[in-house]
Amino acid sequence: ATVDKEVDFANYFCTYAFLYHQKEMLSDRVRMDAYFNSIFQNKHHFQGKTVLDVGTGSGILAIWSAQAGARKVYAVEATKMSDHARTLVKANNLQDVVEVIEGSVEDIVLPEKVDVIISEWMGYFLLRESMFDSVICARDRWLKPTGVMYPSHARMWVAPIRSGLGDQKQQDYEGALDDWYSFLKETKTYYGVDMSVLTKPFSEEQKKYYLQTSLWSNLHPDQVIGTAAVVKNIDCSTATVDDIREVRSKFLSSIRGEGTRLCGFSGWFDVHFRGSTEDPAQQEIELTTAPSTYNGTHWGQQVFLFRPSVRVSEGDDLNVSFSMTRSKENHRLLEVEFSCEIRESTGQILPPIKNKFYIE
Amino acid sequence: ATVDKEVDFANYFCTYAFLYHQKEMLSDRVRMDAYFNSIFQNKHHFQGKTVLDVGTGSGILAIWSAQAGARKVYAVEATKMSDHARTLVKANNLQDVVEVIEGSVEDIVLPEKVDVIISEWMGYFLLRESMFDSVICARDRWLKPTGVMYPSHARMWVAPIRSGLGDQKQQDYEGALDDWYSFLKETKTYYGVDMSVLTKPFSEEQKKYYLQTSLWSNLHPDQVIGTAAVVKNIDCSTATVDDIREVRSKFLSSIRGEGTRLCGFSGWFDVHFRGSTEDPAQQEIELTTAPSTYNGTHWGQQVFLFRPSVRVSEGDDLNVSFSMTRSKENHRLLEVEFSCEIRESTGQILPPIKNKFYIE
Ligand SMILES: Nc1ncnc2c1ncn2[C@@H]1O[C@H](CSCC[C@H](N)C(=O)O)[C@@H](O)[C@H]1O
Ligand SMILES: Nc1ncnc2c1ncn2[C@@H]1O[C@H](CSCC[C@H](N)C(=O)O)[C@@H](O)[C@H]1O
């Protein structure tokens, strides 16, 4: 279920061809600091080495790799952004080290294998965009057996949250339905056509849009109302596409804090730069997109809201089944399912809440 | 310069597959009244006749055609909206007359030629979306020589306007550049990379976005400050794709009203339902999207703003050269150029203002 290649190019890649969008990523200080520190505090991984930057965009990671002492950097970029990357490399006088190659990393041929693969491939909730597939392909073809991955590890997290957004979305949804009923009346009265048979598909369409699509949010840490769980652990040096095509996890989360409302779940990720077992990092660096008061990222968190929300209190336990699969129509989009059983501290067990969401 | 067919389907057709979007069109009373009246005040065109509805969407025009007495209606729709159209036809008990066919009108085969082709093919400023190409194709293949087109005629209009939006857009553009300069400083200071070489392409990208993209607007008639001109006349019964691929027109517009500012131009369209010379309408109907206080449409007008605006007064004449072509990358998008010479009532002639815009 991969979309037509031309369609994928038109839809997925088009935003990356804008400097405006690259600038947004380049202005994310948490992201920039993590990659910058991972490189410059681990220069031994770069000095005299060959590097492949998968999806170089503006060229930033390739330039840093060169500045850290790489002998040669192959900087591959699918979009026309490659022209800007080349200009930037030249303006920083690194054209002898950094070679910018326009093309999909799946299609290119390098003259040698590399010591390091560096890439900023993470999408919303880590796997949206499915760009890690391309990194895996590049790794299997072009990384030396002794090579290291930047980043080396990635994790997906899920936690129960409270949020005021759910009520708002519910109201929007109900508003859209009210509007539909006036529309039906008008169309019947003025134009003699009864459209009420379309009420069901219309309400399903709107339900998906308002209530079943995950939301981008930068949550305050206080909105997390129970223990967070790792639902996926990825070793970037060994993971296969099959390993990441689906994510399934069952976990327990304990509610903390006095009486509060369980409004849904949130998902985020972190990645680590640890080098490899044989050639570990001197300084391990972490990049986290967890809810944070001061260190928000452009990824934020994905929020999955239930309605109605449920009253919970300290000591209640959530028994959660989580699954994430790729959308059948577009492998870069995701579908998420939650089943959540509440075991109250009194011992009472509430019937499981089941919900399906789309990450679009 | 036609985009890949799969890409076109993914991008152009996807919105039409949502009931939400069809409902927006079905809620446009000016649009609905025009088609409704054109059919029910000209029943002789439909009674006992065969009809082809190109792009039936929800099926509304096909249903009306059947209600007006058509013997058979072929309702062709490229998207999955065809399923909803079929449901709606059935719910209105017209399944013996209306046959819904899912597919591009370019690909379908009908068992007979038809007496009427009806279609609502108009995009922003008439030709955006280039859907009339499909109607032409259907007409040349499936309309009887004696057949009639609904609508039968279309016109594109251009007029000088005043608007406050230009200053706003100019400020947004300048704000984006200020922002860029802080970004350059930060990137140099914190991350050791000089990105100033990208200032030119960034500012061009932003200029296109803020200043060279036409805006959707529902203008007040008072914002039109000079005579409006027809820049294109289309006879739907005879026009070829070559006739509409480009639009070029030179016209004169006289400024009316006291001292005012020329901020740019606006473009809109109207279509007429007149039947054919041999088989004229009993009641001619017009659908106009001109600036209007009470009868705005979902098409609004397209607005093309110059900066800076120019002071003009009653009696000044504008000597305008207008051209519109299709975008090389996507035949459904348009590029517009204006060259405007101001001849003041004093006899003085100002140097021509030239501007290029994208209708995206
Ligand atoms: N298969 C592939 N081959 C080449 N480039 C790809 C790719 N998939 C995604 N990309 C590119 O990867 C980039 C990811 S965004 C990261 C850009 C840059 N490395 C930075 O850290 O700022 C985008 O520019 C996108 O166009
Ligand atoms: N080449 C083509 N073949 C079939 N359908 C097409 C088409 N090009 C556009 N369409 C469809 O034409 C419709 C135009 S919108 C108009 C819908 C409906 N006739 C109404 O008046 O409310 C869309 O639903 C679009 O999907």
Side-chain angles (χ1 to χ4, degrees):
Chain A
T2 306
V3 290
D4 179 281
K5 205 174 166 187
E6 313 291 324
V7 175
D8 192 39
F9 211 90
N11 289 338
Y12 168 60
F13 285 111
C14 65
T15 53
Y16 286 118
F18 288 96
L19 282 167
Y20 176 81
H21 186 65
Q22 296 285 342
K23 173 172 169 284
E24 264 176 6
M25 298 186 288
L26 295 167
S27 305
D28 180 332
R29 295 289 297 271
V30 172
R31 186 191 90 106
M32 291 290 275
D33 285 347
Y35 275 87
F36 184 83
N37 293 332
S38 77
I39 295 170
F40 289 100
Q41 295 181 17
N42 293 290
K43 285 197 182 166
H44 68 293
H45 277 145
F46 295 86
Q47 272 155 353
K49 300 294 176 64
T50 51
V51 179
L52 168 58
D53 178 5
V54 177
T56 200
S58 62
I60 187 74
L61 304 182
I63 288 173
W64 284 343
S65 302
Q67 288 175 338
R71 175 171 66 71
K72 181 81 195 178
V73 184
Y74 302 100
V76 180
E77 169 58 39
T79 73
K80 273 282 159 210
M81 191 51 55
S82 57
D83 288 342
H84 297 314
R86 209 173 283 115
T87 306
L88 197 60
V89 164
K90 195 118 191 263
N92 286 271
N93 209 25
L94 295 166
Q95 67 275 18
D96 294 340
V97 178
V98 180
E99 183 175 333
V100 177
I101 303 168
E102 185 183 328
S104 293
V105 78
E106 287 84 350
D107 299 335
I108 57 137
V109 177
L110 300 182
E112 59 181 331
K113 293 214 169 187
V114 298
D115 300 300
V116 181
I117 286 185
I118 192 165
S119 181
E120 199 281 78
W121 51 266
M122 296 85 76
Y124 290 142
F125 202 16
L126 194 65
L127 294 179
R128 185 176 171 281
E129 298 183 27
S130 293
M131 185 179 157
F132 192 55
D133 291 18
S134 303
V135 176
I136 290 175
C137 168
R139 181 197 68 199
D140 292 349
R141 281 193 205 156
W142 303 113
L143 188 66
K144 291 182 189 169
T146 55
V148 295
M149 296 294 292
Y150 267 69
S152 60
H153 295 82
R155 292 188 297 190
M156 289 168 62
W157 292 84
V158 169
I161 58 159
R162 60 181 169 77
S163 160
L165 283 173
D167 294 340
Q168 183 55 54
K169 291 285 158 184
Q170 178 69 25
Q171 274 172 35
D172 291 348
Y173 171 64
E174 285 165 13
L177 287 194
D178 287 349
D179 203 54
W180 172 261
Y181 287 112
S182 331
F183 163 74
L184 284 187
K185 211 176 286 171
E186 269 197 31
T187 313
K188 180 86 196 111
T189 312
Y190 296 115
Y191 304 114
V193 179
D194 181 358
M195 297 211 165
S196 54
V197 71
L198 297 180
T199 299
K200 190 155 175 266
F202 179 79
S203 67
E204 273 163 16
E205 190 185 293
Q206 297 292 297
K207 189 174 159 209
K208 179 172 172 186
Y209 179 74
Y210 284 114
L211 305 177
Q212 298 198 286
T213 303
S214 65
L215 304 170
W216 184 96
S217 188
N218 242 322
L219 295 172
H220 189 278
D222 289 349
Q223 291 183 266
V224 175
I225 60 166
T227 39
V230 171
V231 293
K232 185 76 181 179
N233 246 308
I234 297 175
D235 180 340
C236 303
S237 307
T238 56
T240 64
V241 174
D242 278 338
D243 290 339
I244 59 168
R245 214 188 295 279
E246 288 190 6
V247 175
R248 284 178 200 284
S249 171
K250 285 181 196 296
F251 63 90
L252 212 75
S253 174
S254 307
I255 298 298
R256 57 179 179 236
E258 272 325 288
T260 182
R261 297 205 78 87
L262 170 65
C263 302
F265 286 89
S266 171
W268 64 84
F269 68 89
D270 54 24
V271 301
H272 293 84
F273 302 83
R274 296 191 187 127
S276 64
T277 324
E278 301 74 32
D279 189 5
Q282 280 165 356
Q283 201 67 46
E284 285 194 9
I285 300 292
E286 179 188 68
L287 164 53
T288 177
T289 65
S292 158
T293 318
Y294 302 110
N295 293 308
T297 70
H298 76 286
W299 285 287
Q301 297 85 40
Q302 287 291 305
V303 166
F304 310 92
L305 297 172
F306 303 165
R307 324 108 301 120
S309 55
V310 192
R311 193 123 211 109
V312 288
S313 10
E314 178 99 48
D316 289 356
D317 276 335
L318 309 180
N319 208 347
V320 185
S321 252
F322 168 87
S323 81
M324 188 170 89
T325 54
R326 298 182 178 190
S327 145
K328 271 192 209 63
E329 289 83 39
N330 182 343
H331 72 290
R332 297 197 186 271
L333 305 182
L334 304 168
E335 298 180 4
V336 163
E337 281 186 36
F338 286 94
S339 164
C340 172
E341 195 182 74
I342 305 178
R343 286 193 278 172
E344 297 186 340
S345 51
T346 60
Q348 177 145 13
I349 300 184
L350 305 183
I353 310 167
K354 281 180 200 278
N355 270 285
K356 177 167 185 164
F357 298 92
Y358 303 88
I359 306 183
E360 303 255 83
Chain B
T2 304
V3 291
D4 179 283
K5 206 174 162 185
E6 311 293 323
V7 175
D8 193 38
F9 210 91
N11 289 337
Y12 169 60
F13 285 112
C14 66
T15 52
Y16 287 117
F18 288 96
L19 281 167
Y20 176 81
H21 186 66
Q22 296 285 342
K23 172 173 169 285
E24 264 176 6
M25 298 185 288
L26 295 167
S27 304
D28 180 333
R29 295 290 297 271
V30 173
R31 186 191 90 107
M32 291 290 275
D33 284 347
Y35 275 87
F36 184 83
N37 293 333
S38 77
I39 295 171
F40 289 99
Q41 295 182 17
N42 293 290
K43 286 197 183 167
H44 68 293
H45 278 146
F46 295 87
Q47 271 154 352
K49 299 294 175 64
T50 52
V51 179
L52 168 57
D53 178 4
V54 177
T56 200
S58 62
I60 186 75
L61 304 182
I63 288 173
W64 284 342
S65 301
Q67 289 175 336
R71 175 171 66 72
K72 180 82 195 178
V73 184
Y74 302 100
V76 180
E77 170 58 40
T79 73
K80 273 284 158 207
M81 191 51 55
S82 56
D83 288 342
H84 298 315
R86 209 172 283 117
T87 306
L88 197 60
V89 164
K90 195 118 191 263
N92 286 272
N93 210 24
L94 294 166
Q95 67 275 17
D96 294 340
V97 179
V98 180
E99 183 176 332
V100 176
I101 304 169
E102 185 184 328
S104 293
V105 79
E106 286 85 351
D107 300 334
I108 57 135
V109 177
L110 300 182
E112 59 182 329
K113 294 215 169 187
V114 299
D115 300 301
V116 181
I117 286 184
I118 191 165
S119 181
E120 199 280 76
W121 51 267
M122 297 85 75
Y124 290 143
F125 202 14
L126 193 65
L127 294 179
R128 185 176 171 281
E129 299 183 25
S130 292
M131 185 181 156
F132 192 54
D133 291 18
S134 304
V135 175
I136 290 175
C137 167
R139 180 198 68 199
D140 292 349
R141 281 192 204 156
W142 302 113
L143 188 66
K144 290 183 191 169
T146 55
V148 295
M149 297 295 290
Y150 268 69
S152 59
H153 295 82
R155 291 188 299 188
M156 289 167 62
W157 291 83
V158 169
I161 58 158
R162 59 182 170 77
S163 160
L165 283 174
D167 294 340
Q168 183 55 54
K169 291 285 158 184
Q170 178 70 23
Q171 275 172 35
D172 291 348
Y173 171 63
E174 285 165 12
L177 287 194
D178 288 348
D179 204 55
W180 172 261
Y181 288 113
S182 333
F183 163 74
L184 284 188
K185 212 176 284 172
E186 270 197 31
T187 313
K188 179 87 196 110
T189 311
Y190 296 116
Y191 304 114
V193 178
D194 182 356
M195 296 211 165
S196 53
V197 70
L198 297 180
T199 300
K200 192 156 172 265
F202 179 77
S203 65
E204 273 162 16
E205 189 185 294
Q206 297 292 297
K207 189 174 159 211
K208 179 171 172 185
Y209 179 74
Y210 284 113
L211 306 177
Q212 299 198 286
T213 304
S214 66
L215 304 170
W216 184 96
S217 187
N218 241 321
L219 296 172
H220 190 278
D222 289 349
Q223 293 183 265
V224 176
I225 60 165
T227 40
V230 172
V231 294
K232 185 78 181 177
N233 246 309
I234 297 175
D235 180 340
C236 302
S237 305
T238 57
T240 65
V241 174
D242 279 337
D243 290 338
I244 58 168
R245 214 189 296 279
E246 288 189 6
V247 175
R248 285 179 201 282
S249 171
K250 285 182 196 297
F251 63 89
L252 212 75
S253 175
S254 307
I255 299 298
R256 56 177 181 237
E258 271 325 289
T260 182
R261 298 206 76 88
L262 170 65
C263 302
F265 286 88
S266 171
W268 66 83
F269 67 89
D270 54 25
V271 302
H272 293 84
F273 300 83
R274 297 191 187 127
S276 64
T277 325
E278 300 74 31
D279 190 5
Q282 279 165 357
Q283 202 66 49
E284 286 194 8
I285 299 292
E286 179 188 68
L287 163 54
T288 176
T289 66
S292 158
T293 318
Y294 302 111
N295 293 308
T297 71
H298 77 287
W299 285 287
Q301 298 85 39
Q302 287 291 304
V303 165
F304 310 92
L305 296 173
F306 303 165
R307 313 121 295 122
S309 55
V310 191
R311 191 123 211 109
V312 288
S313 11
E314 178 100 46
D316 290 356
D317 276 336
L318 309 180
N319 208 347
V320 185
S321 250
F322 167 87
S323 82
M324 189 170 90
T325 54
R326 297 183 177 190
S327 146
K328 271 191 208 60
E329 288 84 38
N330 182 342
H331 72 290
R332 296 198 186 272
L333 305 183
L334 304 169
E335 298 179 4
V336 163
E337 280 185 35
F338 285 94
S339 164
C340 171
E341 195 183 72
I342 305 178
R343 287 191 278 172
E344 297 187 340
S345 52
T346 60
Q348 176 145 13
I349 300 186
L350 305 182
I353 309 167
K354 280 180 200 279
N355 270 284
K356 176 165 183 165
F357 298 92
Y358 301 88
I359 306 183
E360 303 256 83

